[in-house]
Amino acid sequence: MKNILVIDDTTLVRYRITSILKTEGFNVYQSANAASVRQNTFASDISLKDIDLILLDIYLSSENGFDLLSFLGKQYPAIDIIVVSGANRAAVIKRSVSLGAKDFIAKSFDRSTLLRKVNNIDSVSENKGFLKKEESYKTTLSMELNRSIRSKLSFSVVKLDLPHKIDQKYYMDIKDLITSRIRNIDQIFFLQDFEYLFILPLTDREGREVFIEKITNISLENKHLIKDNFEVEAVTFPEEIIDLSKLDPENYGEYKEGILKKVGIERLNI
């Protein structure tokens, strides 16, 4: 996802959302009213057909945001929409979803909530299943590392080796069990036979251990697996690579190499 449109009639809210998202590498556009969105005049160099995600305030002074949400859903169904509203009521959320919104953010929100919601939509859009190309995991790792360095928020990487004696005919069952246990925000990559790499945004060491326990418990549902046979290697950045007070963007390459070594894939070209 590259292009995000923020629709809110409050200048401070638009500025705050835009500032947070731009630091994460997104292209962010703004509109203070529904008219400029309907007429495609919110920017001189881009139109709605180029927008990937809209963050929409449901109570606009110029127009009911629900009407705009309905319009966007009918005319531009490919655009994902997250409703942002101070009215955190079940009826508002239900109506937003019924009109096509993919998620809801209640005001006032913090930085981590905004990023988690946006990255969730981003992950679903770009990663519908197992990504098998090495370049895919390297790109995702680079993105998460850059985000973590800028925001000082943790992320984790986990490599899981399944027992190699599993009959191939059970592979798809195991794959389905694994994918059913991850969040939409999490990324999973198939490195080679029975070897998986997970990149877990906004996940500290405690959250990582919960994730590992959840994933390795697939042995309870598949008689062909024995939990003790799993091989798990994991690392959480930055705490297990560098002291937070010494974090330096200039050392990006060193950090990336350290992460890969911690999970045992330093043999791959980085």
Side-chain angles (χ1 to χ4, degrees):
M1 182 191 302
K2 295 181 179 180
N3 301 320
I4 299 177
L5 173 61
V6 180
I7 308 171
D8 198 300
D9 55 9
T10 302
T11 303
L12 184 60
V13 174
R14 291 199 313 275
Y15 176 79
R16 180 165 180 252
I17 294 175
T18 299
S19 297
I20 292 172
L21 294 179
K22 279 190 172 182
T23 62
E24 297 301 308
F26 294 107
N27 300 320
V28 187
Y29 301 86
Q30 301 182 36
S31 176
N33 56 71
S36 67
V37 178
R38 288 179 179 272
Q39 297 165 13
N40 257 317
T41 58
F42 59 87
S44 60
D45 59 340
I46 199 170
S47 66
L48 282 172
K49 66 181 178 61
D50 304 306
I51 294 296
D52 301 296
L53 172 66
I54 289 177
L55 298 176
L56 172 64
D57 178 14
I58 211 65
Y59 292 118
L60 300 169
S61 57
S62 60
E63 180 179 338
N64 187 318
F66 287 122
D67 292 338
L68 182 57
L69 177 58
S70 178
F71 165 79
L72 291 168
K74 293 176 181 177
Q75 300 298 319
Y76 300 91
I79 301 177
D80 291 318
I81 300 175
I82 297 177
V83 166
V84 182
S85 177
N88 188 17
R89 300 192 302 269
V92 174
I93 297 174
K94 183 177 180 180
R95 187 176 179 190
S96 298
V97 172
S98 70
L99 290 174
K102 294 295 179 65
D103 210 335
F104 184 94
I105 298 176
K107 297 179 182 178
S108 60
F109 52 85
D110 57 24
R111 176 189 178 88
S112 63
T113 297
L114 176 64
L115 292 179
R116 175 170 54 81
K117 297 279 189 175
V118 170
N119 286 328
N120 188 5
I121 298 293
D122 194 15
S123 297
V124 171
S125 298
E126 296 184 358
N127 184 30
K128 298 296 184 181
F130 277 43
L131 299 178
K132 298 185 178 181
K133 295 182 180 179
E134 181 182 326
E135 289 301 320
S136 297
Y137 89 74
K138 286 162 52 175
T139 298
T140 300
L141 177 60
S142 296
M143 180 182 69
E144 289 304 327
L145 180 56
N146 278 316
R147 286 178 179 174
S148 184
I149 291 173
R150 290 194 300 266
S151 66
K152 295 181 171 58
L153 296 173
S154 298
F155 79 100
S156 294
V157 178
V158 175
K159 183 164 72 71
L160 174 68
D161 292 330
L162 299 178
H164 289 195
K165 293 182 180 180
I166 300 173
D167 193 307
Q168 284 285 347
K169 67 182 179 181
Y170 301 118
Y171 170 72
M172 290 306 298
D173 290 340
I174 295 167
K175 173 186 169 183
D176 290 342
L177 284 170
I178 290 176
T179 54
S180 70
R181 278 168 163 68
I182 66 173
R183 304 169 300 174
N184 285 331
I185 193 177
D186 298 330
Q187 303 264 353
I188 179 172
F189 303 90
F190 180 48
L191 299 182
Q192 57 187 9
D193 287 347
F194 308 112
E195 187 173 278
Y196 304 91
L197 184 73
F198 302 89
I199 297 179
L200 315 174
L202 303 174
T203 303
D204 58 17
R205 187 158 27 188
E206 181 179 355
R208 180 193 82 196
E209 293 307 309
V210 171
F211 172 86
I212 292 173
E213 179 67 20
K214 183 167 57 175
I215 290 296
T216 54
N217 270 341
I218 62 175
S219 60
L220 301 178
E221 299 185 27
N222 192 302
K223 62 182 180 180
H224 307 286
L225 294 179
I226 300 174
K227 185 175 180 179
D228 292 342
N229 288 341
F230 287 119
E231 295 181 11
V232 180
E233 296 176 272
V235 60
T236 297
F237 184 87
E239 51 260 50
E240 293 182 345
I241 298 294
I242 184 70
D243 187 286
L244 186 61
S245 63
K246 299 179 181 178
L247 200 60
D248 184 351
E250 294 296 323
N251 295 327
Y252 163 85
E254 178 183 331
Y255 299 152
K256 186 175 181 181
E257 182 177 3
I259 290 170
L260 292 173
K261 285 183 177 180
K262 285 280 189 178
V263 294
I265 54 176
E266 71 272 18
R267 65 182 182 277
L268 296 177
N269 178 28
I270 64 172

